[in-house]
Amino acid sequence: MMAVTHGSVLFDRTPSFSFEFFPPKTQEGAEALLDTVVKLQEFHPSFVSVTYGAGGGSRELTRSVVHDMVARGIPTVPHLTCVGHTEAEIEQILEGYTKAGAQAILALRGDPPRNRPYDASKDAFRHAAELVRFIRAWESRNHLPNRLTIGVAGFCEGHPDTPNRIREMDYLKAKMDEGADYICTQLFFDNHAFFDFRDRCRLVGIDVPIIAGIMPITSISGMNRMAELSAGTNFPARLFKAMLRAGGDRSAIERIGINYASNQCAELLDADVDGIHFYTLNRSRATLEIYRNLGINNYFDVDRIHMLSNLYKS
């Protein structure tokens, strides 16, 4: 198993377990999000991340949520994107996050806004590697007491804008060379795609932790939304068949999605995954059920699991 070599508090245990949330749009949403976060904190996640929104549309909400979580002592990783930003804006955001106590950033290229014109030429950064380089330079100039942990995205089944899979690995390696500490993958439903991606990373010299992105399907509408947002993620035939067998029964579909994700996670853990990152959609039920199915609880003893694993392998 891999571990961050820079002493990151995000990976003080391996495998890591983390959750992703998006900023709420209403006060009711904020209260529901806080309830979800509190419930999931029972499992002492390695960290939680907060999304930024297409085109930076939710940037103010992201900052507010991040500051609130950090103030509560929750290890929080805010997303930061290239889209729609100048260097001065990025510096201001970094200053706010670090002053609030955040020690990590997920640096992304980001998605362009969908419902308004967008001119990418006005952005200070075109690619995540450039953003990582800028963050490291800013960090150096400001003499931060702790080195920021920087994560970047990985695409197990290929980045939608880079059909050349060999060139894609070059782009990913560039992020590492600029100072990224770990990779968090886009959601996937086929573990073989993840294992192949992990092998290719190691072959090109990428030796940072690779965190697997998992999102349980809990509804047909949610599956369609995921297909829209995940830009090319494969939905295996066996998953489709299981959904068809449910015949539109909502509770059956939710059970199928949770069981499928539970089996995915069990296989990943058996294969010594560095960490699992749950895309929660701001809900706790599915993730809590997966934890229960895996036997993970407040007393999850990683050292004991490793010892049993080693005994089994011997």
Side-chain angles (χ1 to χ4, degrees):
M1 294 187 182
M2 304 300 299
V4 172
T5 58
H6 304 293
S8 169
V9 295
L10 302 187
F11 299 96
D12 58 355
R13 71 179 190 186
T14 304
S16 65
F17 292 92
S18 52
F19 311 121
E20 179 170 299
F21 305 100
F22 58 84
K25 296 180 179 180
T26 65
Q27 182 59 37
E28 292 78 10
E31 293 172 0
L33 172 59
L34 182 59
D35 181 63
T36 296
V37 173
V38 169
K39 286 180 179 177
L40 293 176
Q41 281 302 301
E42 297 175 7
F43 293 101
H44 306 294
S46 303
F47 62 93
V48 302
S49 69
V50 184
T51 67
Y52 208 56
S58 60
R59 65 181 63 170
E60 295 298 332
L61 286 170
T62 296
R63 294 182 211 178
S64 176
V65 170
V66 168
H67 289 197
D68 186 41
M69 287 185 176
V70 172
R72 294 171 182 272
I74 300 171
T76 307
V77 180
H79 292 201
L80 188 57
T81 68
C82 300
V83 170
H85 277 308
T86 64
E87 289 188 1
E89 288 172 336
I90 294 292
E91 288 184 341
Q92 182 183 23
I93 294 168
L94 288 170
E95 182 177 353
Y97 284 156
T98 53
K99 282 187 175 180
Q103 299 182 41
I105 295 289
L106 188 64
L108 308 168
R109 187 189 70 175
D111 299 319
R114 298 186 177 189
N115 301 317
R116 59 184 173 84
Y118 167 63
D119 182 2
S121 66
K122 295 181 179 179
D123 295 342
F125 313 104
R126 299 294 299 276
H127 304 287
E130 298 172 0
L131 180 57
V132 173
R133 182 195 312 143
F134 183 83
I135 294 171
R136 288 293 178 220
W138 177 86
E139 174 185 65
S140 178
R141 290 195 305 272
N142 286 272
H143 307 289
L144 299 187
N146 298 301
R147 184 182 189 275
L148 289 171
T149 300
I150 301 178
V152 294
F155 295 79
C156 299
E157 295 167 321
H159 194 287
D161 294 339
T162 311
N164 185 328
R165 301 301 299 279
I166 296 175
R167 179 62 58 83
E168 178 189 31
M169 299 309 294
D170 293 338
Y171 294 152
L172 184 59
K173 181 65 162 56
K175 300 179 191 179
M176 306 301 111
D177 294 341
E178 295 294 353
D181 294 304
Y182 72 97
I183 297 167
C184 186
T185 76
Q186 173 67 276
L187 65 94
F188 61 91
F189 297 97
D190 184 349
N191 283 354
H192 295 294
F194 175 83
F195 296 139
D196 182 77
F197 173 75
R198 185 173 65 174
D199 287 346
R200 285 184 289 116
C201 284
R202 303 310 183 216
L203 287 171
V204 299
I206 296 174
D207 60 358
V208 301
I210 302 173
I211 311 305
I214 299 295
M215 182 186 285
I217 293 173
T218 56
S219 68
I220 293 297
S221 61
M223 184 171 70
N224 287 330
R225 182 167 179 264
M226 278 184 262
E228 184 70 26
L229 295 175
S230 58
T233 296
N234 178 47
F235 288 79
R238 62 193 177 97
L239 179 55
F240 269 126
K241 288 179 181 178
M243 291 294 171
L244 289 173
R245 286 196 296 270
D249 184 313
R250 291 186 177 183
S251 62
I253 289 170
E254 183 179 41
R255 288 197 303 274
I256 289 167
I258 290 172
N259 288 337
Y260 189 94
S262 298
N263 290 331
Q264 263 196 282
C265 292
E267 185 179 34
L268 290 166
L269 291 170
D270 288 344
D272 289 340
V273 68
D274 295 318
I276 296 177
H277 187 68
F278 293 97
Y279 295 103
T280 68
L281 297 180
N282 287 18
R283 299 184 180 92
S284 62
R285 173 177 161 77
T287 304
L288 288 170
E289 288 298 320
I290 293 169
Y291 261 57
R292 294 189 181 103
N293 290 342
L294 294 172
I296 301 170
N297 55 42
N298 293 353
Y299 308 101
F300 182 58
D301 188 338
V302 177
D303 292 334
R304 182 171 177 274
I305 294 295
H306 287 175
M307 179 188 71
L308 292 174
S309 177
N310 290 333
L311 287 173
Y312 175 78
K313 290 177 181 176
S314 63

